[in-house]
C-alpha cells in the first residue's frame, strides 16, 4: 500500500542516520578546500549550523519536525539572502552533500531522489547572478 512506504527518514536510518548525514556534510565542508567558497559564508564554528541542518533535514525527510518546533517555518530562501549564493556556491553545496550521502551509505535510489530534490532547493536559493 502506498501509505506503508518507508519515509526517506527511515531509509536513512532514522535519527542517527540524519544526524550522521548533517555531520558528514559539515565535515566535508570544513576539511575540503574545494568547498572553501561555501565554507567562508558560514560562522567560524559550525556547531550551530550542524544542528540546524540536522533539525531541518529530519522534518524534510519525513521525521520529527525539530526545526519547525524551534524556529517556525523554515523560510529558507529568505534566511539565505544575507549570503551571496550564485551558481558556483550552489554547485559546491550540492557536491558536498553528494559526498555526505556517499559517506552515510544512502541506497542508490534514495541518493538519486534526494540529490534531485536538493538540486531544486539549492537552485532556488541562488540570490546573485553568475
Ligand atoms: C545553495 C547553496 C547554499 C549555501 C551557500 C548555503 C549557505 C548557508 C549559510 C551560510 C547558512 C548560515 C549558517 C548558520 O546560520 O549557521 C545557511 C543556513 C541554513 N541552510 Fe543553507 N546554504 C545553501 C543551500 C541550502 C540547502 C539546499 C538547504 C536545505 C536543503 C539549506 C539549509 C539550511 C538551513 C536549514 C539553514 C539554517 C537556517 C537558519 O535557521 O538560520 N541550505 N546556509
Amino acid at each position: 500500500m502506498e501509505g506503508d512506504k518507508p519515509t526517506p527518514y527511515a531509509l536513512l536510518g532514522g535519527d542517527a542516520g540524519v544526524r550522521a548525514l548533517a555531520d558528514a556534510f559539515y565535515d566535508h565542508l570544513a576539511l575540503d578546500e574545494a568547498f572553501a567558497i561555501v565554507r567562508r559564508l558560514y560562522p567560524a564554528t559550525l556547531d550551530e549550523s550542524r544542528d540546524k541542518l540536522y533539525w531541518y533535514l529530519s522534518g524534510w525527510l519525513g521525521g520529527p519536525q525539530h526545526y519547525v518546533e524551534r524556529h517556525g517555518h523554515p523560510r529558507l530562501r529568505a534566511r539565505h539572502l544575507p549570503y551571496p549564493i550564485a551558481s558556483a556556491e550552489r554547485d559546491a553545496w550540492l557536491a558536498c552533500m553528494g559526498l555526505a550521502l556517499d559517506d552515510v551509505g544512502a541506497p542508490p535510489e534514495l541518493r538519486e531522489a534526494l540529490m534531485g530534490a536538493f538540486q531544486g532547493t539549492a537552485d532556488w536559493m541562488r540570490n546573485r547572478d553568475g
Side-chain angles (χ1 to χ4, degrees), residues 38 41-43 48-49 52-53 56-57 67 71 76 79-80 83 85 89-90 93 118 121-122 125:
V38 172
L41 302 174
Y42 284 82
E48 270 187 41
S49 312
K52 285 176 176 174
L53 186 61
Y56 174 81
L57 290 177
Y67 185 93
H71 300 292
L76 275 193
R79 288 194 211 263
H80 284 77
Y83 315 108
I85 300 175
E89 285 78 11
R90 172 201 63 193
W93 193 101
F118 282 134
T121 310
M125 227 63 80

Side-chain angles (χ1 to χ4, degrees), residues 32-99:
D32 193 331
E33 267 303 300
F35 306 132
I37 56 163
V38 172
R39 173 65 185 90
R40 71 182 175 197
L41 302 174
Y42 284 82
T45 48
L46 291 170
D47 296 359
E48 270 187 41
S49 312
R50 281 176 192 267
D51 283 344
K52 285 176 176 174
L53 186 61
Y54 155 63
W55 290 332
Y56 174 81
L57 290 177
S58 172
W60 182 76
L61 292 165
Q65 295 283 345
H66 296 307
Y67 185 93
V68 174
E69 282 163 15
R70 288 167 174 83
H71 300 292
H73 191 284
R75 300 187 299 110
L76 275 193
R77 192 166 196 285
R79 288 194 211 263
H80 284 77
L81 285 178
Y83 315 108
I85 300 175
S87 302
E89 285 78 11
R90 172 201 63 193
D91 293 344
W93 193 101
L94 287 168
C96 192
M97 183 53 82
L99 293 180

